[in-house]
Amino acid sequence: MTNDNIPKDYDHKKEAVWQDKWQRDDTYKFIGDGTRPNYIIDTPPPYPTGATHMGHVLNWTYIDIIARFKRMQGYDVLFPQGWDCHGLPTEVKVEETHNIKKGDVPRAKFREMCVDLTRTNIKQMKSQMLSMGFSQDWSREFVTMTPEYMKRTQLSFLKMYDQGLIYRGIHPVNWCPRCETAIAFAEVEYHENETYLNYLEFPVEESEKGLMIATTRPELLSACVAVVVHPEDERYKEMAGKKVEVPLFGRNVEIITDEEVDPEFGTGAVMICTFGDKTDVLWVNKYDLDIIEALDEKGVMKDVSCKYAGMNTQDCKKQIIEDLKNEGYLKKQEKVDQNVGVCWRCKTPIEILVKNQWFVAVKDLIPEVREASAEMKWTPEHMETRLLNWTGSMDWDWCISRQRIFATPVPVWYCSKCGKVHLATPDMLPVDPTQDKLEGKCECGNEEFIGETDVLDTWMDSSISPLSITGWPNEDFKKYYPASLRPQGHDIIRTWAFYTILRCKALTGEKPFDEIVVNGMVSGEDGHKMSKSRGNTISPEEVLEEYGADALRLWATNSVPGSDVPFAWKDVKYGYKFLRKFWNAFRFINMHIQDFKLSISEEEIQKNLDPMDRWILSKLNRLLADVVGSIESYNFANVVNSIQAFIWHDFCDEYIEAVKYRLYNDSPELSMTKEAAQYTLQTVISTSLVMLAPLTPHFADEIYQYVSDTGISIHKTLWPDVNFELIDDTAEETGKIGVELIGEIRRFKASKKMPLNAKIKTLNIYTPDSALIGQIENLEEDIKGTMRVESLGVMTGKPDIKEKVVEITPVMAKIGPEFKGDAPKIVKYLQSEDMDEIVATLDNEGEITIEGNKLTWDHIEAKKVAVGKTGEKVEVIHAANLDVILEVIV
C-alpha cells in the first residue's frame, strides 16, 4: 500500500485519464509471438453511423469482460475493432448532405463522398468506444472500404467462383423498389399487415360459369400466366386443362393442377403471377411457364400493364379494383391478415423481379454449415436452433450483387461482343471494373470489355471477418484461425453468423470459430425497443456524463447472453453507489494497512487467523472460483451480483465492522490478531480488485495504484489462483453465526437509541445447542471487541430471568369512584409504604387492606422489569435465525 493522499470521493471524470494511459502504454496490444496461448475474438464490425447506442454498450461490454479476463489468465488476446462500411444508408446520407442523386456525379466522386462521411463517423464512434473503456487493440483495426480489405473480399469471390460456388444467372430475386437493388432472402423482414382478399370471377372457355379466384394482389393481373387448383378438389375437376380469361386484360391462361394448393384458402383457385410471392416462382419453374414483367426496378407498372403503366403499385391496385367493380369481375372483398415481406433497411414492401444477378450456391453448402455449427459451442445453446431452422428454409441461393456504388466492386468484365465473363486475376486486386480496364483478348478475339457495374452485398465483406483478422490469405493465418470466439446479437444469426460459417467453411474447409456467444437487444425503460419515434432512447453519453463508464458497464454486466435487457437508470445509479461504497471502505482500510508488511510468512499468518478472518477469506476464495466459472460460462449477471453482494455486505458491512477494534488496538498481546486482520483486509482488497477489473476497469486500476507499488496496470497482472485450503465450510458457518449475533446486538442498540460504540456491561448468550456453544466461544473476542462488551458469557439452557416490580401507581379511575373520601388516604399509603411489602402481600394474598378498604391488582398499575440471577435489570433478545437467547445488562 502506498501512503498517497486518497481523494475523499471517487471521481468518475478521471476515467479519461486511464483511457489515455492504456492507449499510450499499448496495454491491450496483441503480440502474436507464440510465447503465450492465443485467444482470438472475431469482433462484430458495426455500421459506422457516427453514434454508438446502448446495444453497442451491451454487446461490447460482454466482449470486453471476456478479453480482459482472458488476458489476466495469461492469454495473448486479439481483440480487434472493425467497421462494416459499405451500404445504402451512407449513400442516402451523402445525397441528403450534398443535395444530389448518386447519378449526378461520377461514380468515383460519389464513392469519395461516401468514404469521407464514413471516416468522420468512424472517428466519432471510436472516440465513444474509448470513453467506455473497451480494450480493443486499435493497431488491428480493420475497415471494409479500404483497398486492403476489398482485396480480401474480391479474392474470396474469385476462389468461390473457381469452386463453382458463385455463379451468374437470370433468376427471380427479392427487390427493394426504394433502394433500387436486389436484396438477399435473409434481408427480408416480415411484418403483419391487414389487407383485402378480392374475389374475382375469371371467365372460363366454353362455360357459362366463371372461375372464382381470391387474390390480395390484383395489381399483378397483367402478369398472370396460369391458374392453379388442387387435383383432388371436386369443385374444379372438370376444369383442369381448360383456359380462363384474365379480367381486364383479355388474355387466356391455362388451368393447371398442383398438390401444393391449399383448397381451404380463399376459393381454392390461385392465379400464378410473375411474381407475387415465392410460391409463384416455384410454380413457374416447375411448369416452365412464361414470365411477364409487370413492374420495373422502381416499383412502377410497365407497358404490359396497359392503361395502368406508369402507376406505382398502390395507385394501380386502387384503380384496378375500381375497374374490376365497374366491369362486374369483383364479386366481394373481405379483410385478411397477411405477412408482408419488407426491406430490412427501409421497410418498403419488396417485389420479386427477374434479374441477371450474381449468386452464392447456398443450397450446395447447407450440409457443411450444419457440420461446422455442430463443432462450435453455442451460448445460449438454443440459439443454434435459429441457425439450423434458417438453413432448413433456404429455397433460394444467396443473391450477392447489388445495384449501388458504395461497396466492394464485383471483379468482373464482360466481352462486349460475345458477353463472356472475364474475372480479375489475384494480382490485379483490388480492382474496380468501372474505372480499371481489362487488357487482353476474349476467346472470340474481341479486345473490348465492359466492366461490371454491380457491387457486392455488404455481408460479402463482413462474412470473412475471421479470415481478415487472422491474416488470410497469408499462409501463417492458420496460426490464429479459427477464432476462439464470435460474439454477436441474435438479430443477425441468419445473416452474419450464417454467411460467415458458410463462406469460411467454403474457403478453408474449417469452422470459423470455436464458440459463439449471442447477446440480446436493449429496450427502453418502458419495455419497448429503443427508438427515436417512441422517445425512449438514452444515449451512452448522457450516462457517462453523470455516472461514468464503469457504472454503465455494471448495468450491462447484470444480464445474461440471449436475453433482451431493459435499460434502467436505477441500475446505473446502484452501480455508482456500489463503487462509492467500495471507495469509502478502501479509504478507511488504507489508513490501517498503507505501510503494512507481514512480520511472518504468509503460511504462518494463515495459521493464526481469527474466526472472522477465516470466514471472509473462505467466502472470498469461494467467490473467486464462482466468478471464474461464471465468466467462462458467460453468466455475467451472476458475476456482478455475487461480487457486489460480497463486497457491499459481507466485507464492508460485516467484516470491516467486526475487525475495527483490532485495527485500533496497539497492545502487544493483540499484535498477532491485528496483523491477521491487516493481512486479511489487504488480501480481500487486492483479490476483489482483480475480480472487478474486467467489469469496472477504470475503478479497479485507480485503486490498484494505491495498493501496488509496481506502477503497472492491474490489467497487466495475472488472475489469482483459488486458495482451496482457505475454503472452509466450518469457518463460514462460524462466521455466519458471528454476523448474526453482532447483527442482533446492533439492532438492540439501535432500538434503544444507543450509539453503536456504547459499552455493554454484560452479555450472556444462552443456547441448548452444545455444538453452537463452541462456535460462539471462538467468536468471543470479536463479539466483545466489535460491540464494546465488557463481560461475555456463553451458557447452556435458558437464562434465569424474573420480573421485578420497580414502580406502582394508583389507578385513580377505579380508586376514586369506589372509595370516594378514602381515596386520598389510599394514595398516600401506596406512595409512602414499602413497595416490596405491598407487592408481596398482593402476590401472596391477592389483596391488601388499607383503612378498612380492600385493594387488588385491579386498583394498582405496576411497572415491571426483567432481572437476571444477580438481581440486575436485563434486556432479553431472542435471535431471529439462531437458537440462542441473549441477556444484556447495560
Side-chain angles (χ1 to χ4, degrees):
M1 290 272 181
T2 63
N3 198 19
D4 296 322
N5 184 32
I6 302 175
K8 181 179 179 181
D9 293 314
Y10 172 63
D11 181 10
H12 69 269
K13 300 287 186 181
K14 197 177 177 184
E15 290 176 341
V17 174
W18 287 109
Q19 292 155 13
D20 291 342
K21 179 173 174 53
W22 294 333
Q23 294 305 311
R24 288 197 311 273
D25 295 348
D26 285 334
T27 304
Y28 309 120
K29 190 173 181 61
F30 174 70
I31 306 301
D33 60 2
T35 58
R36 290 177 291 161
N38 293 322
Y39 191 85
I40 313 298
I41 303 175
D42 180 24
T43 324
Y47 194 78
T49 60
T52 58
H53 53 67
M54 285 301 176
H56 292 128
V57 171
L58 180 71
N59 196 7
W60 266 262
T61 298
Y62 283 8
I63 304 169
D64 196 54
I65 289 171
I66 297 163
R68 291 179 180 279
F69 173 69
K70 288 296 182 181
R71 289 191 196 97
M72 297 179 84
Q73 280 194 316
Y75 287 89
D76 191 5
V77 174
L78 173 58
F79 178 10
Q81 183 57 56
W83 305 98
D84 190 12
C85 305
H86 295 133
L88 183 70
T90 299
E91 293 189 2
V92 172
K93 190 65 176 177
V94 166
E95 289 177 333
E96 291 176 356
T97 302
H98 296 278
N99 193 26
I100 59 171
K101 292 295 182 183
K102 61 183 179 182
D104 295 344
V105 296
R107 287 176 67 98
K109 178 63 176 177
F110 188 79
R111 178 177 173 82
E112 182 183 329
M113 293 176 177
C114 292
V115 168
D116 289 343
L117 174 62
T118 303
R119 283 176 178 157
T120 299
N121 288 347
I122 288 175
K123 184 178 180 181
Q124 292 172 351
M125 293 182 72
K126 179 178 178 179
S127 174
Q128 291 161 359
M129 286 185 167
L130 288 169
S131 72
M132 282 298 304
F134 298 144
S135 60
Q136 295 98 326
D137 177 357
W138 288 99
S139 69
R140 296 283 181 146
E141 184 179 19
F142 64 92
V143 183
T144 61
M145 68 181 182
T146 60
E148 295 82 6
Y149 200 97
M150 287 198 294
K151 180 178 180 178
R152 289 192 176 103
T153 300
Q154 290 181 331
L155 180 62
S156 70
F157 176 95
L158 299 181
K159 288 183 175 294
M160 290 184 71
Y161 182 91
D162 289 342
Q163 293 175 262
L165 296 174
I166 287 180
Y167 65 93
R168 188 170 188 253
I170 300 175
H171 295 288
V173 295
N174 294 310
W175 186 272
C176 175
R178 184 184 179 279
C179 301
E180 294 185 46
T181 183
I183 62 175
F185 190 33
E187 295 173 310
V188 179
E189 294 180 353
Y190 289 90
H191 292 183
E192 288 289 334
N193 182 50
E194 186 179 76
T195 188
Y196 283 98
L197 194 59
N198 302 279
Y199 288 80
L200 311 180
E201 187 173 52
F202 281 48
V204 181
E205 68 175 357
E206 300 177 358
S207 175
E208 295 183 1
K209 182 180 178 183
L211 176 64
M212 194 72 70
I213 291 176
T215 178
T216 60
R217 301 210 63 184
E219 69 273 19
L220 293 180
L221 275 171
S222 61
C224 178
V225 293
V227 171
V228 61
V229 296
H230 196 281
E232 302 301 322
D233 195 328
E234 293 293 335
R235 295 171 292 179
Y236 308 118
K237 281 218 168 185
E238 302 300 322
M239 292 189 178
K242 291 188 175 183
K243 294 187 180 294
V244 295
E245 181 183 304
V246 179
L248 301 181
F249 293 93
R251 275 187 305 102
N252 291 329
V253 297
E254 187 176 350
I255 302 173
I256 61 178
T257 60
D258 193 284
E259 292 183 350
E260 293 299 315
V261 176
D262 179 5
E264 302 300 321
F265 181 77
T267 66
V270 182
M271 70 171 184
I272 301 174
C273 297
T274 54
F275 292 95
D277 57 25
K278 284 169 50 182
T279 311
D280 287 339
V281 177
L282 293 174
W283 280 327
V284 166
N285 290 333
K286 185 175 182 180
Y287 298 108
D288 194 24
L289 301 173
D290 293 334
I291 295 176
I292 300 174
E293 297 182 45
L295 292 169
D296 69 9
E297 295 171 350
K298 295 183 179 181
V300 174
M301 308 307 297
K302 298 176 76 170
D303 289 344
V304 71
S305 298
C306 301
K307 63 179 281 189
Y308 309 104
M311 294 184 181
N312 62 40
T313 53
Q314 290 303 309
D315 291 342
C316 179
K317 176 180 281 191
K318 290 177 184 177
Q319 187 60 54
I320 278 186
I321 288 175
E322 184 177 339
D323 291 346
L324 288 167
K325 284 180 183 177
N326 294 336
E327 296 291 331
Y329 292 113
L330 180 62
K331 300 304 179 182
K332 68 172 181 175
Q333 289 181 302
E334 62 183 32
K335 286 185 178 180
V336 63
D337 293 327
Q338 65 175 174
N339 263 336
V340 177
V342 299
C343 172
W344 76 311
R345 297 182 187 89
C346 66
K347 312 309 176 190
T348 301
I350 61 106
E351 299 292 350
I352 298 175
L353 303 184
V354 178
K355 305 294 290 182
N356 202 348
Q357 301 286 324
W358 288 94
F359 297 87
V360 169
V362 167
K363 289 182 282 187
D364 295 347
L365 292 166
I366 292 300
E368 294 189 48
V369 171
R370 288 175 168 268
E371 178 185 48
S373 177
E375 294 174 358
M376 299 183 296
K377 177 185 175 184
W378 286 74
T379 302
E381 288 183 9
H382 69 267
M383 287 296 173
E384 184 183 15
T385 304
R386 295 195 184 188
L387 179 86
L388 298 178
N389 288 344
W390 178 243
T391 62
S393 67
M394 298 301 298
D395 295 324
W396 296 1
D397 283 336
W398 174 18
C399 178
I400 58 171
S401 48
R402 299 290 183 268
Q403 292 65 50
R404 298 199 310 269
I405 294 176
F406 186 49
T408 299
V410 177
V412 165
W413 291 262
Y414 305 99
C415 174
S416 63
K417 184 175 180 180
C418 70
K420 179 179 172 60
V421 172
H422 290 261
L423 275 71
T425 56
D427 61 294
M428 296 169 64
L429 305 180
V431 67
D432 183 354
T434 67
Q435 306 296 318
D436 304 319
K437 289 186 176 182
L438 180 66
E439 302 295 337
K441 285 185 180 182
C442 179
E443 292 174 6
C444 70
N446 182 41
E447 297 182 6
E448 294 294 326
F449 300 94
I450 300 170
E452 173 66 87
T453 58
D454 282 358
V455 293
L456 291 171
D457 179 6
T458 57
W459 295 112
M460 285 288 285
D461 292 331
S462 60
S463 60
I464 59 167
S465 57
L467 298 175
S468 176
I469 65 173
T470 54
W472 183 87
N474 297 331
E475 191 62 27
D476 64 353
F477 92 95
K478 295 177 181 178
K479 295 178 182 178
Y480 315 110
Y481 183 90
S484 309
L485 182 70
R486 154 63 70 87
Q488 68 163 71
H490 63 62
D491 58 326
I492 50 174
I493 287 176
R494 70 180 194 175
T495 47
W496 194 38
F498 173 71
Y499 292 147
T500 303
I501 297 169
L502 180 146
R503 295 243 288 139
C504 290
K505 183 74 171 173
L507 291 165
T508 69
E510 293 185 62
K511 62 187 177 185
F513 23 80
D514 297 325
E515 292 188 59
I516 180 167
V517 58
V518 182
N519 64 277
M521 303 292 107
V522 178
S523 60
E525 289 193 287
D526 58 2
H528 294 285
K529 181 180 178 180
M530 282 191 176
S531 67
K532 291 181 179 178
S533 61
R534 283 189 175 275
N536 64 349
T537 58
I538 301 292
S539 72
E541 287 79 10
E542 290 181 66
V543 185
L544 296 184
E545 177 64 27
E546 191 164 357
Y547 297 107
D550 283 350
L552 181 55
R553 290 170 64 106
L554 287 174
W555 158 77
T557 306
N558 193 15
S559 57
V560 293
S563 298
D564 291 346
V565 184
F567 175 80
W569 280 104
K570 63 180 179 62
D571 295 336
V572 177
K573 293 174 184 176
Y574 181 84
Y576 186 66
K577 285 175 63 178
F578 163 73
L579 295 176
R580 297 189 70 184
K581 173 87 171 181
F582 194 9
W583 180 267
N584 292 334
F586 169 69
R587 287 185 70 246
F588 166 77
I589 293 167
N590 188 63
M591 293 188 300
H592 297 280
I593 56 176
Q594 59 187 8
D595 299 317
F596 172 67
K597 294 278 190 297
L598 276 175
S599 64
I600 55 178
S601 69
E602 190 169 5
E603 291 76 14
E604 288 179 290
I605 199 70
Q606 289 178 4
K607 294 176 183 177
N608 290 282
L609 296 172
D610 282 13
M612 294 304 289
D613 303 331
R614 296 184 187 279
W615 167 70
I616 198 68
L617 289 175
S618 179
K619 297 205 76 172
L620 175 72
N621 281 277
R622 196 182 297 276
L623 172 66
L624 183 60
D626 184 46
V627 165
V628 170
S630 294
I631 293 179
E632 290 179 339
S633 62
Y634 313 110
N635 187 348
F636 302 117
N638 187 62
V639 173
V640 68
N641 290 329
S642 299
I643 293 174
Q644 285 180 331
F646 172 81
I647 292 176
W648 194 312
H649 302 296
D650 294 335
F651 185 54
C652 295
D653 291 348
E654 305 297 348
Y655 179 76
I656 293 176
E657 293 301 319
V659 299
K660 278 182 178 178
Y661 79 96
R662 291 155 65 185
L663 300 174
Y664 285 112
N665 199 315
D666 293 322
S667 61
E669 60 270 20
L670 288 180
S671 63
M672 184 55 67
T673 189
K674 179 178 180 178
E675 188 169 346
Q678 291 172 307
Y679 164 78
T680 302
L681 288 167
Q682 188 180 64
T683 302
V684 174
I685 283 288
S686 58
T687 306
S688 296
L689 288 176
V690 168
M691 289 188 286
L692 279 174
L695 281 59
T696 57
H698 312 87
F699 180 87
D701 225 351
E702 178 75 12
I703 292 185
Y704 184 73
Q705 300 314 307
Y706 296 107
V707 173
S708 170
D709 55 8
T710 63
I712 67 170
S713 168
I714 192 172
H715 305 294
K716 286 286 192 179
T717 65
L718 288 176
W719 193 271
D721 294 327
V722 177
N723 189 337
F724 289 99
E725 292 184 4
L726 288 177
I727 298 179
D728 185 337
D729 292 340
T730 301
E732 289 188 38
E733 184 182 349
T734 300
K736 184 178 180 181
I737 292 168
V739 168
E740 292 286 349
L741 291 173
I742 291 171
E744 291 289 356
I745 303 166
R746 275 190 191 144
R747 287 187 286 276
F748 164 76
K749 284 187 173 182
S751 68
K752 299 297 181 182
K753 294 184 172 49
M754 297 170 60
L756 286 178
N757 62 355
K759 290 184 178 180
I760 290 177
K761 180 180 177 182
T762 303
L763 173 65
N764 294 317
I765 303 174
Y766 294 84
T767 178
D769 187 341
S770 58
L772 195 56
I773 288 178
Q775 291 174 306
I776 296 174
E777 287 176 341
N778 287 336
L779 293 160
E780 190 171 325
E781 291 305 317
D782 280 328
I783 295 172
K784 287 173 64 178
T786 304
M787 299 314 301
R788 305 291 299 274
V789 176
E790 293 180 349
S791 173
L792 188 146
V794 186
M795 308 164 196
T796 59
K798 296 181 179 181
D800 182 10
I801 298 173
K802 297 178 181 178
E803 284 191 325
K804 179 180 180 182
V805 177
V806 294
E807 182 181 341
I808 57 175
T809 305
V811 181
M812 297 308 297
K814 284 184 172 292
I815 291 175
E818 188 172 338
F819 301 112
K820 297 181 174 58
D822 289 338
K825 299 177 184 178
I826 294 171
V827 171
K828 183 179 180 181
Y829 181 87
L830 293 174
Q831 293 175 342
S832 60
E833 295 299 317
D834 186 280
M835 181 182 66
D836 292 337
E837 289 185 8
I838 294 172
V839 171
T841 302
L842 285 169
D843 283 343
N844 294 329
E845 301 178 13
E847 62 182 22
I848 185 171
T849 303
I850 303 172
E851 298 287 335
N853 299 300
K854 293 183 178 181
L855 277 73
T856 67
W857 277 116
D858 290 339
H859 300 92
I860 299 170
E861 184 177 313
K863 181 180 179 182
K864 301 177 181 179
V865 296
V867 296
K869 58 185 179 182
T870 62
E872 294 180 277
K873 175 186 173 183
V874 299
E875 299 282 353
V876 178
I877 305 170
H878 293 269
N881 300 313
L882 292 173
D883 187 13
V884 300
I885 298 174
L886 287 75
E887 182 183 70
V888 182
I889 301 174
V890 179

